[in-house]
Amino acid sequence: GVTHFTIQDAYENIYPQKGAWGIWSLPGSAEFHVKWTGIAEILGGVGLLSGGAFDAFAPVYSDCPNIFTDAGIGSDSAAALLLLTIAVTPANIYMYTHGAKLPVDGPEVPIAGHAIRGIMQVVLLGLLYQMGQGTFEALLN
């Protein structure tokens, strides 16, 4: 999340431009979307860390602090990060389909690199779903 602010231009470079794929059009600038996703990543990471720390160090008879659901801050943060990962997936696809680079002056990413990134993203989504399952159950019940 912090790199969204330290190398902001690089992240703006991978944000799909208006008309990408013949359909892409979101309100707001690339700068706006890079900043809010950076903030969301930072907050999600803090939530995961605090939820994990609470689980590791708090007495077993106490419950994790609840922010949004009774599942606790760790589960809520994982669920939010899962949704964020899905929301930023178009940027990863744009890198593949349009040759956008991160960093801007970095080397071309080979097809294998995009494939590995896709596989890792599926693994990340699975882990975040598992970690956030309590939140999803609380929201759906």
Side-chain angles (χ1 to χ4, degrees):
V2 173
T3 59
H4 285 237
F5 301 96
T6 59
I7 56 170
Q8 183 174 331
D9 291 344
Y11 283 97
E12 289 177 15
N13 183 54
I14 67 167
Y15 178 78
Q17 294 183 6
K18 191 172 215 135
W21 310 296
I23 58 169
W24 187 260
S25 181
L26 280 183
S29 65
E31 177 184 8
F32 167 76
H33 290 289
V34 167
K35 286 182 177 179
W36 81 257
T37 57
I39 291 168
E41 284 182 17
I42 292 167
L43 291 175
V46 168
L48 284 179
L49 286 172
S50 60
F54 193 90
D55 289 344
F57 301 114
V60 294
Y61 55 82
S62 63
D63 291 327
C64 187
N66 300 330
I67 302 296
F68 298 109
T69 69
D70 290 337
I73 191 170
S75 180
D76 291 348
S77 295
L81 285 171
L82 182 140
L83 297 174
L84 178 64
T85 302
I86 292 169
V88 301
T89 295
N92 298 334
I93 295 169
Y94 185 77
M95 286 180 70
Y96 171 67
T97 61
H98 290 75
K101 296 185 287 185
L102 179 71
V104 176
D105 58 354
E108 293 288 329
V109 179
I111 297 292
H114 290 293
I116 291 168
R117 179 185 204 144
I119 291 167
M120 294 304 296
Q121 193 154 350
V122 169
V123 170
L124 175 65
L125 288 168
L127 290 171
L128 290 172
Y129 177 77
Q130 185 178 18
M131 293 169 65
Q133 194 167 8
T135 298
F136 292 119
E137 289 174 358
L139 292 173
L140 296 174
N141 291 331

